């Protein structure tokens, strides 16, 4: 064999292997055939987070759209939380990109918008004023950046709420705390009654984050975090941060979360079960916790032992006690590279406000951010809880998106790490500030 | 069959280098090309959008001054050495014991090898629920219930080493068992006649003859624990805090949570260099290369 022939054989062989590997990558894409955006009129991809309760509802909504609409078909692909963020990041801008994708709005969405991968939906809303009016303005604002709208709410509002076990509180003689000082007293009383005062799923830092978010808001008002996020008038070294973290440190040192939180997870057998079994008094968690408890410990909820309250006020603090933190909602955004834009816009403007879709969400315990939904909530099951969430959100002076979603990914990762060290007592309040401000 | 080229003239059967082509091609595509890409990425900034932006040696100077990366590396070394110290004697003893042909040993050894059949994810999930501070089995046991194995930052690294040991000892046991079985029985017979006891036989015959197996197993263990990732990710996620954040996890978190692919690639290149250096040093220092047969008559 001459060397020339050998080179040729080598080249074609390697091309073959390359092609094979590329093909393999292609077919490992989201579930369902067409593999990515598809051509004009092909099946569009909708990407969302895995959720046993919501996925069937989303699926049904897409099927209804496919039957009714002439514009094109969609299919749903779902992913777990971490794989979703990784996969979306690398898929966007590639032929594998979805047409519509699930997101949290805020800074999380901003990274995608800045990269020029998200379609501006403001024209769509301008053409359809009734669509804009269908959503609660404060929630719609969650996917608004520089006055432009980049996503429409596709599921319920998820503020963080202070859940409690009524019978535990009762037997320890504890009142539902209205202020931070009340909470500290409650912690002492619960400790004396030999229960963990507050259940915390501390093996993941996002659960600890909820405490920091609320405290900073109550102490310094929402502007403090907004400044940090926007990097304009101050960073983590603003005095309110140190003050809030010092208060949080006091709560940890007082034994508010017990001693075992660092290895408690938020899955089956985690913090929720601890609360339901009466081993803890409180549990600060997103509003989805109610649905979760209903599924995991129905007896506990049906016996009326699960209570809920807004996060306590801080006396003398800047933040309004009606302020909320959490996930404003989740949004569907449209990618700029989508080849099914018309169909996607039709989907966004009809399917999300569709009567059946809203009813399905409500039946699942979700509180859709749609105007005039309160009457429906009152008639449905669990109305006591869902109307509480609705009223809280409507009345809130400010609704801050969870910090880990509102900061850019690298800042969020660093912040969560410092926070978990802080909860373990390996980082002081001042050290926390210095590490993040530096 | 006629062979091509000069080999017929010298009378030696040497296969053409092209026989290696498929293997070289695969190695090139799936090992060398990704490595080169990672080296390239380590000189860029890339958050996953668009194209990587060249950043010169920015990632490298950041890595040089990164305390977290240093902590992760130190933890990796501690983890590696401790894993080796724990796994080697356990695997060696069980392996030599299992080499005996008694029936009870055969049955028990097949039980010992059970972890080999489980996937890493299953093992990590299993131990996570066994050690859970609220609902785990250990909580209902005396003494063990006192510890928070996955939540206490001062003991969690040992918990991880224990689980890793549980996971990998069967494999190394298998190596030792096979090697111990190749030791000629005549050596033991002679030693017995000379009046050597069991301990003396173990230290004078078994151990020296298992030397190369010990080296092989050591290289596998050291390089293996240097790059351990999946078990730790599922078991602790690197936490609590950074108590079990070994270097591969640090790389993963930087890359796939922080989306700093450039910097994560720099960490990856460092790990690659250290891992390759490590196996070179170990094989050089132990005479792994001049290994010769231990068989009778060889």
């Amino acid at each position: 064999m001459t060397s020339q022939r050998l080179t040729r054989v080598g080249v074609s062989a390697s091309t073959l292997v390359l092609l094979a590997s590329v093909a393999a990558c292609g077919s490992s894409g989201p579930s369902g055939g067409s593999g990515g955006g598809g051509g004009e009129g092909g099946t569009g991809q909708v990407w969302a987070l895995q959720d046993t309760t919501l996925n069937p509802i989303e699926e049904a909504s897409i099927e209804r759209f496919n039957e009714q609409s002439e514009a094109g078909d969609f299919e749903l692909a779902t992913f777990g939380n971490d794989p979703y963020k990784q996969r979306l990041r690398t898929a966007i801008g590639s032929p594998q990109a979805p047409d519509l994708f699930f997101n949290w709005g805020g800074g999380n969405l901003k990274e995608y918008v800045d990269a020029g991968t998200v379609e501006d939906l403001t024209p769509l809303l301008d053409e359809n004023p009734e669509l804009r009016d269908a959503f609660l303005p404060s929630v719609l604002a969650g996917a608004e950046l520089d006055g432009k709208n980049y996503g429409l709410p596709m599921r319920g509002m998820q503020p963080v709420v202070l859940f409690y076990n009524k019978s535990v509180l009762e037997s320890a003689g504890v009142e539902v705390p209205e202020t931070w000082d009340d909470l500290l007293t409650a912690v002492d009383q619960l400790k004396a009654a030999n229960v963990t005062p507050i259940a915390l799923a501390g093996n993941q830092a996002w659960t600890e984050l909820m405490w920091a978010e609320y405290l900073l808001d109550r102490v310094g008002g929402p502007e403090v975090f907004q400044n940090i996020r926007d990097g304009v008038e101050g960073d983590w070294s603003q005095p309110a941060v140190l003050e809030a973290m010092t208060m949080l440190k006091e709560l940890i040192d007082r034994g508010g979360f017990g001693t075992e939180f660092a290895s408690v997870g938020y899955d089956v057998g985690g913090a929720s079960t601890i609360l339901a079994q009466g081993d803890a008094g409180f549990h600060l968690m997103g509003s989805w916790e109610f649905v979760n408890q209903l599924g995991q410990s129905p007896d506990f909820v049906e016996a009326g032992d699960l209570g809920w309250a807004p996060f306590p006020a801080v006396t003398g603090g800047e933040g309004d006690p009606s302020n909320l933190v959490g996930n404003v909602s989740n949004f569907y955004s449209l990618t700029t590279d989508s080849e099914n834009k018309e169909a996607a816009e039709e989907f966004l403007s009809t399917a999300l406000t569709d009567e059946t879709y809203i009813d399905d969400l409500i039946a699942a315990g979700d509180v859709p951010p749609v105007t005039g939904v309160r009457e429906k909530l009152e008639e449905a099951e669990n109305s006591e809880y869902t109307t509480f969430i609705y009223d809280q959100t409507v009345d809130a002076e400010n609704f801050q998106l969870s910090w880990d979603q509102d900061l850019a990914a690298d800042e969020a990762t660093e912040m969560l790490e410092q926070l978990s060290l802080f909860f373990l007592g390996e980082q002081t309040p001042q050290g926390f500030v210095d590490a993040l401000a530096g | 069959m006629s062979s091509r080229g000069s080999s017929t003239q010298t009378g030696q059967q040497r296969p053409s280098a092209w026989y290696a082509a498929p293997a070289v091609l695969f190695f090139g595509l799936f090992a060398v090309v990704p490595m080169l890409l990672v080296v390239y990425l380590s000189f860029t900034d890339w958050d996953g959008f668009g194209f990587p932006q060249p950043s010169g040696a920015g990632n490298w100077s950041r890595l040089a001054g990164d305390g977290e990366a240093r902590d992760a590396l130190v933890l990796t070394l501690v983890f590696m050495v401790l894993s080796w110290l724990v796994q080697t004697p356990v695997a060696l003893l069980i392996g030599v014991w299992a080499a005996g042909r008694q029936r009870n040993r055969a049955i028990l050894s097949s039980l010992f090898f059970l972890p080999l059949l489980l996937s890493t994810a299953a093992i990590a999930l299993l131990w996570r629920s066994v050690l859970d501070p609220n609902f785990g089995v250990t909580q209902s046991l005396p003494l063990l219930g006192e510890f928070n194995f996955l939540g206490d930052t001062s003991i969690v690294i040992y918990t991880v080493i224990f689980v890793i040991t549980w996971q990998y000892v069967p494999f190394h046991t298998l190596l030792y068992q096979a090697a111990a079985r190749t030791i000629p029985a005549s050596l033991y017979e002679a030693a017995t006649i000379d009046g050597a006891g069991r301990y003396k036989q173990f230290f004078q015959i078994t151990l020296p003859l298992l030397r190369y197996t010990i080296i092989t197993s050591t290289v596998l263990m050291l390089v293996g624990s240097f790059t351990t990732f999946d078990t730790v990710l599922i078991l602790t996620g690197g936490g609590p805090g950074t108590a079990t954040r070994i270097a591969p996890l640090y790389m993963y978190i930087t890359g796939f949570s922080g989306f700093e692919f450039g910097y994560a690639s720099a960490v990856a290149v460092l790990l690659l260099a250290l891992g390759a250096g490590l196996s070179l040093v170990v094989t050089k220092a132990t005479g792994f290369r001049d290994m010769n047969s231990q068989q009778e008559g060889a």
Side-chain angles (χ1 to χ4, degrees):
Chain A
M1 244 184 233
T2 63
S3 67
Q4 234 185 351
R5 258 182 75 199
L6 278 177
T7 323
R8 223 177 314 157
V9 170
V11 167
S12 46
S14 53
T15 316
L16 209 81
V17 176
L18 257 174
L19 277 176
S21 62
V22 167
C25 293
S27 60
S28 72
S31 59
S34 73
E40 187 68 40
T43 305
Q45 295 277 326
V46 181
W47 284 14
L49 220 56
Q50 249 165 31
D51 186 315
T52 43
T53 322
L54 290 177
N55 288 158
I57 299 173
E58 292 155 4
E59 194 96 44
S61 135
I62 290 173
E63 265 167 35
R64 272 196 305 277
F65 176 81
N66 289 348
E67 274 169 28
Q68 287 162 10
S69 165
E70 305 280 296
D73 283 355
F74 287 97
E75 62 182 6
L76 182 72
T78 61
F79 306 83
N81 188 54
D82 288 356
Y84 178 70
K85 290 177 185 170
Q86 290 159 18
R87 174 129 195 117
L88 183 66
R89 181 68 77 127
T90 40
I92 235 152
S94 83
Q96 302 287 319
D99 298 280
L100 291 169
F101 67 96
F102 171 106
N103 62 77
W104 290 261
N108 163 282
L109 181 61
K110 185 170 186 295
E111 284 188 272
Y112 288 89
V113 171
D114 289 347
T117 56
V118 185
E119 189 77 12
D120 180 7
L121 296 177
T122 325
L124 179 72
L125 289 174
D126 288 344
E127 283 166 32
N128 304 286
E130 74 286 350
L131 181 63
R132 189 192 292 273
D133 296 339
F135 298 107
L136 294 178
S138 61
V139 174
L140 201 56
E144 213 175 85
L145 296 161
D146 298 327
K148 288 179 184 163
N149 209 291
Y150 291 98
L152 293 184
M154 48 70 74
R155 64 165 295 188
M157 307 173 280
Q158 303 144 55
V160 173
V161 176
L162 187 63
F163 291 93
Y164 55 90
N165 186 321
K166 281 183 194 165
S167 57
V168 169
L169 258 54
E170 226 161 82
S171 57
V174 175
E175 297 277 313
V176 177
E178 284 181 7
T179 66
W180 184 252
D181 294 327
D182 290 350
L183 182 72
L184 293 181
T185 319
V187 163
D188 291 343
Q189 285 170 308
L190 288 167
K191 261 170 63 190
N194 263 332
V195 286
T196 306
I198 304 161
L200 177 68
N203 90 353
Q204 288 160 309
W206 59 265
T207 60
E208 303 170 334
L209 180 64
M210 294 172 171
W211 286 92
E213 287 166 350
Y214 259 129
L215 262 175
L216 182 60
D217 179 276
R218 293 289 188 267
V219 169
E223 300 77 21
V224 180
F225 178 75
Q226 286 162 6
N227 289 341
I228 293 170
R229 179 195 60 199
D230 302 338
V232 279
E233 278 171 60
D235 54 13
W236 293 94
S237 57
Q238 293 170 93
V241 180
L242 183 62
E243 196 187 331
M245 293 312 276
T246 310
M247 289 167 69
L248 187 51
K249 175 86 180 152
E250 195 190 334
L251 180 66
I252 299 168
D253 290 348
R254 207 181 258 250
F257 303 104
T259 50
E260 283 173 344
F261 62 85
S263 53
V264 176
Y266 185 74
D267 33 18
V268 183
S272 311
T273 316
I274 297 177
L275 184 79
Q277 289 183 349
D279 294 328
F282 297 101
H283 184 204
L284 187 66
M285 198 26 78
S287 61
W288 58 82
E289 172 71 355
F290 182 83
V291 182
N292 198 23
Q293 290 283 12
L294 207 56
Q296 276 182 30
S297 319
D299 297 344
F300 168 59
V301 183
E302 278 153 24
D305 273 345
L306 179 66
W308 48 84
F311 192 83
V314 168
T315 323
E318 298 276 329
D320 192 281
S322 75
N323 287 350
L324 295 176
V325 307
N327 293 340
V328 180
S329 181
N330 291 118
F331 302 88
Y332 273 147
S333 294
L334 175 59
T335 51
T336 39
D337 290 343
S338 166
E339 286 170 351
N340 302 297
K341 264 183 206 162
E342 262 176 50
E345 289 188 348
E346 189 183 325
F347 178 80
L348 286 174
S349 48
T350 57
L352 299 179
T353 45
D354 175 68
E355 196 97 0
T356 324
Y357 183 61
I358 300 295
D359 289 345
D360 285 352
L361 285 177
I362 293 174
D366 225 34
V367 185
V370 183
T371 36
V373 83
R374 200 178 192 286
E375 293 77 36
K376 278 190 176 183
L377 292 173
E378 278 167 14
E379 288 160 20
E381 272 183 272
N382 308 313
S383 58
E384 207 186 329
Y385 177 74
T386 51
T387 50
F388 165 79
I389 296 293
Y390 184 84
D391 293 342
Q392 285 279 308
T393 317
V394 172
D395 297 341
E397 192 166 296
N398 185 64
F399 195 151
Q400 171 60 48
L401 176 64
S402 299
W403 296 353
D404 53 345
Q405 307 290 1
D406 211 7
L407 293 170
D410 51 344
E411 293 170 60
T413 306
E414 172 71 9
M415 188 252 323
L416 288 175
E417 181 195 319
Q418 291 300 327
L419 198 68
S420 85
L421 290 174
F422 175 81
F423 267 79
L424 287 168
E426 292 179 8
Q427 186 66 282
T428 60
Q430 187 65 53
F432 177 85
V433 167
D434 293 345
L436 293 178
Chain B
M1 233 186 259
S2 72
S3 51
R4 233 181 297 117
S6 59
S7 52
T8 34
Q9 279 145 20
T10 56
Q12 268 186 332
Q13 289 281 339
R14 290 193 99 206
S16 154
W18 285 104
Y19 281 51
V24 169
L25 200 68
F26 263 87
F27 182 75
L29 268 175
F30 296 110
V32 178
V33 170
M35 276 190 234
L36 292 178
L37 279 177
V38 167
V39 172
Y40 161 69
L41 277 181
S42 73
F43 290 99
T44 64
D45 269 335
W46 190 34
D47 60 4
F49 294 121
F51 290 97
Q53 301 298 320
S55 67
N59 289 321
W60 289 97
S61 54
R62 180 176 158 197
L63 184 58
D66 185 351
E68 283 178 27
R70 201 179 47 238
D71 292 348
L73 271 179
V74 170
L75 190 69
T76 309
L77 292 178
V78 170
F79 173 74
M80 194 172 78
V81 171
L82 285 180
S83 295
W84 181 79
L85 281 178
V86 176
Q87 287 183 41
T88 305
V90 176
L92 183 63
L93 288 177
I94 300 181
V96 170
W97 178 84
R101 308 222 175 245
Q102 293 87 336
R103 179 165 292 179
N104 66 332
R105 294 194 184 184
I107 294 169
L108 280 175
S109 339
S110 59
L111 286 180
F112 288 151
F113 294 145
L114 218 57
L116 266 183
L117 303 176
L118 299 176
S119 76
T120 305
I123 289 175
L125 286 173
L126 175 81
W127 282 103
R128 205 172 78 180
S129 40
V130 166
L131 298 171
D132 188 285
N134 289 290
F135 312 101
V137 185
T138 49
Q139 288 311 296
S140 42
L141 300 173
L143 203 64
L144 286 182
E146 300 298 307
F147 296 99
N148 186 356
F149 289 103
L150 293 173
D152 187 332
T153 49
S154 56
I155 55 178
V156 65
I157 186 77
Y158 305 108
T159 311
V160 171
I161 290 172
F162 170 79
V163 173
I164 296 270
T165 302
W166 191 85
Q167 180 180 7
Y168 287 111
V169 153
F171 172 71
H172 296 279
T173 302
L174 212 55
L175 292 182
Y176 287 118
Q177 186 200 29
R181 280 192 174 163
T182 65
I183 300 176
S186 57
L187 291 178
Y188 292 104
E189 284 159 18
T192 314
I193 293 167
D194 290 343
R198 292 181 74 180
Y199 293 101
K200 197 144 196 188
Q201 286 186 11
F202 177 77
F203 285 107
Q204 303 289 334
I205 301 172
T206 316
L207 213 49
L209 288 180
L210 288 181
R211 215 178 100 218
Y212 292 129
T213 313
I214 296 177
I215 294 170
T216 309
S217 150
T218 299
V219 174
L220 290 175
M221 268 184 210
L222 290 183
V223 177
S225 48
F226 191 75
T227 52
T228 297
F229 168 71
D230 33 12
T231 316
V232 190
L233 176 74
I234 300 172
L235 193 64
T236 68
T242 52
T244 54
R245 187 179 289 186
I246 50 178
L249 265 179
Y250 180 66
M251 170 189 82
Y252 172 80
I253 291 168
T254 314
F256 289 98
S257 296
F259 293 111
E260 297 180 89
F261 289 116
Y263 186 55
S265 298
V267 179
V269 172
L270 181 70
L271 277 180
L272 181 70
L274 288 177
L278 180 78
S279 53
L280 271 180
V281 167
V282 176
T283 46
K284 268 264 190 301
T286 52
F288 186 80
R289 282 162 185 282
D290 338 300
M291 231 184 241
N292 41 38
S293 173
Q294 306 277 304
Q295 297 287 345
E296 274 177 296

